[in-house]
Amino acid sequence: MRAVPLSDLPEEEAIHLELSGVPICLARSDGVVHALLDECSHGQVALSDGEVTGGVVECWLHGSCFDLVTGVPTGPPAMVPVPVYPIRVVADIVEVAI
Ligand code: FES
């Protein structure tokens, strides 16, 4: 599913998208784009409002970081992974498979 032009996603930032009713956190880190469910597994707040750095996104509310590749939290209080979705870039457009 077409999401956004790659140029709309700055390095080390995340944006919120709604694709087919699914909230998506689209994040770019170290030059790689990742798509996760845009909902922290701890407190149901948007991960796209958090900080992206070094391959993780940090939840702004309690500070759990989620690996952008696996969706696994790297520390408490979150314990449950968030779903991740495959992406590809075609002709500079980011596409997300949901
Ligand atoms: S709401 Fe995200 S870590 Fe608590």
Side-chain angles (χ1 to χ4, degrees):
M1 175 167 285
R2 290 170 65 93
V4 295
L6 187 59
S7 57
D8 284 2
L9 188 57
E11 185 65 31
E12 304 301 320
E13 286 197 18
I15 59 174
H16 169 84
L17 299 171
E18 190 103 1
L19 298 174
S20 295
V22 178
I24 299 293
C25 170
L26 199 64
R28 186 173 182 178
S29 183
D30 296 331
V32 181
V33 179
H34 307 272
L36 307 84
L37 182 69
D38 197 10
E39 185 177 279
C40 180
S41 61
H42 179 245
Q44 290 78 49
V45 299
L47 290 174
S48 59
D49 290 334
E51 297 285 325
V52 175
T53 183
V56 301
V57 59
E58 180 180 3
C59 178
W60 61 269
L61 190 53
H62 302 120
S64 280
C65 291
F66 292 85
D67 186 297
L68 293 172
V69 174
T70 64
V72 172
T74 60
M79 303 295 287
V80 177
V82 295
V84 295
Y85 305 96
I87 74 101
R88 66 179 182 179
V89 179
V90 178
D92 213 41
I93 301 294
V94 179
E95 297 180 346
V96 181
I98 54 172

